[in-house]
Amino acid sequence: MPIEIYCQSNFEKGEKLFTQEKYTLAKPIFIDFLRENPNHLKTIEYLGDIAGHLKDWDNAILYYNKLKQGNPKEANYYYKYGGALGMKAKDSNKFKALGMIGEVKESFEKAIELNPRHIEARWALIEIYLQLPGIVGGSEKKASSYANQLLKLSQVDGFLAKGYIDEYFDRYNSAETNYLKAHAIGNSNTTFQKLFNLYKNKMNKPQKAEEFKNQFIK
């Protein structure tokens, strides 16, 4: 069998296992393939994704950093790198985490710079600006500015983001208004779940939650 066909079949085997979520089985196959094809970006990305699924943030960061170096104009590589770095920061002590936040934000901002329509990077920045204390850069105003950007790109995401910010600050009536707007447009499991959880767990309206659930199922 020609070496090219052998390598390709190995990659496809790893890819199939990955799509089946058999990450520990796919990992050594991709590692072997990468040894023969050290610049194969998709293999590096799969290995980064596997590391992420296994919560191995150090290796995820390593692989995504290689992706950035291999193709510095691909927005998604910066988004994934920022995500892995952010998860490592979350698992680190507070002092170490604060030292990483700047690079996390820069990675998401770079993703948006490279792809102005990048929705996930904006969601990630909203999360950061809500979770960070104000003294180290947290800002509802900045989170809201990204929600407004989302509104222009995707109305569903925009209203969900606005609702999420309202819910975070316990403004449940405003959150309901925004989630209802998102649901009227999207009518999806995601928009349903946001409203159902708000009614049941935050607004203490279990009956309204059940009525809404029955209406959605119909």
Side-chain angles (χ1 to χ4, degrees):
M1 182 187 291
I3 188 68
E4 293 85 358
I5 296 173
Y6 171 76
C7 286
Q8 188 61 30
S9 64
N10 256 359
F11 174 78
E12 288 169 354
K13 186 179 177 183
E15 195 168 41
K16 185 177 180 181
L17 289 167
F18 181 89
T19 58
Q20 294 170 345
E21 299 183 8
K22 295 177 180 176
Y23 303 123
T24 53
L25 294 176
K27 182 179 174 181
I29 294 171
F30 283 133
I31 288 173
D32 285 344
F33 184 80
L34 191 64
R35 204 171 284 125
E36 300 293 329
N37 306 270
N39 299 316
H40 197 269
L41 294 179
K42 192 62 189 175
T43 301
I44 297 170
E45 185 172 8
Y46 275 135
L47 284 166
D49 293 349
I50 287 169
H53 283 296
L54 300 177
K55 297 185 174 11
D56 179 4
W57 306 122
D58 286 332
N59 270 317
I61 290 164
L62 190 72
Y63 285 122
Y64 292 144
N65 193 42
K66 282 184 181 178
L67 287 177
K68 288 194 306 168
Q69 293 170 353
N71 186 354
K73 293 188 177 180
E74 173 52 55
N76 233 31
Y77 297 162
Y78 287 88
Y79 168 69
K80 289 189 173 188
Y81 177 78
L85 201 63
M87 292 306 295
K88 181 177 170 65
K90 196 175 178 182
D91 288 351
S92 303
N93 64 63
K94 287 184 179 180
F95 184 77
K96 187 175 181 181
L98 288 175
M100 299 164 72
I101 288 299
E103 191 176 1
V104 174
K105 287 196 289 189
E106 285 170 14
S107 298
F108 293 139
E109 288 163 359
K110 184 67 175 178
I112 292 170
E113 179 190 321
L114 291 168
N115 176 10
R117 301 190 63 80
H118 206 292
I119 286 172
E120 295 87 351
R122 287 178 171 85
W123 268 108
L125 284 162
I126 288 169
E127 191 70 47
I128 287 172
Y129 283 117
L130 289 182
Q131 297 290 343
L132 277 180
I135 196 168
V136 288
S139 167
E140 183 187 353
K141 186 177 179 182
K142 287 182 179 177
S144 295
S145 75
Y146 283 110
N148 288 329
Q149 289 179 30
L150 281 175
L151 197 61
K152 293 176 183 176
L153 296 172
S154 159
Q155 283 198 316
V156 172
D157 280 284
F159 286 124
L160 282 175
K162 284 176 172 290
Y164 178 68
I165 293 168
D166 285 329
E167 185 178 354
Y168 185 86
F169 289 104
D170 301 335
R171 298 189 295 259
Y172 298 141
N173 289 330
S174 294
E176 179 189 16
T177 299
N178 281 307
Y179 285 155
L180 282 169
K181 287 178 181 177
H183 188 63
I185 300 164
N187 193 35
S188 66
N189 284 326
T190 300
T191 56
F192 158 74
Q193 204 65 52
K194 285 291 184 182
L195 275 163
F196 180 78
N197 289 339
L198 183 73
Y199 291 140
K200 186 176 180 180
N201 301 320
K202 300 293 178 68
M203 299 180 82
N204 196 25
K205 295 180 178 179
Q207 187 177 344
K208 189 166 186 176
E210 285 304 313
E211 288 171 0
F212 178 62
K213 181 180 178 180
N214 293 332
Q215 184 184 359
F216 179 69
I217 291 170
K218 287 178 183 177

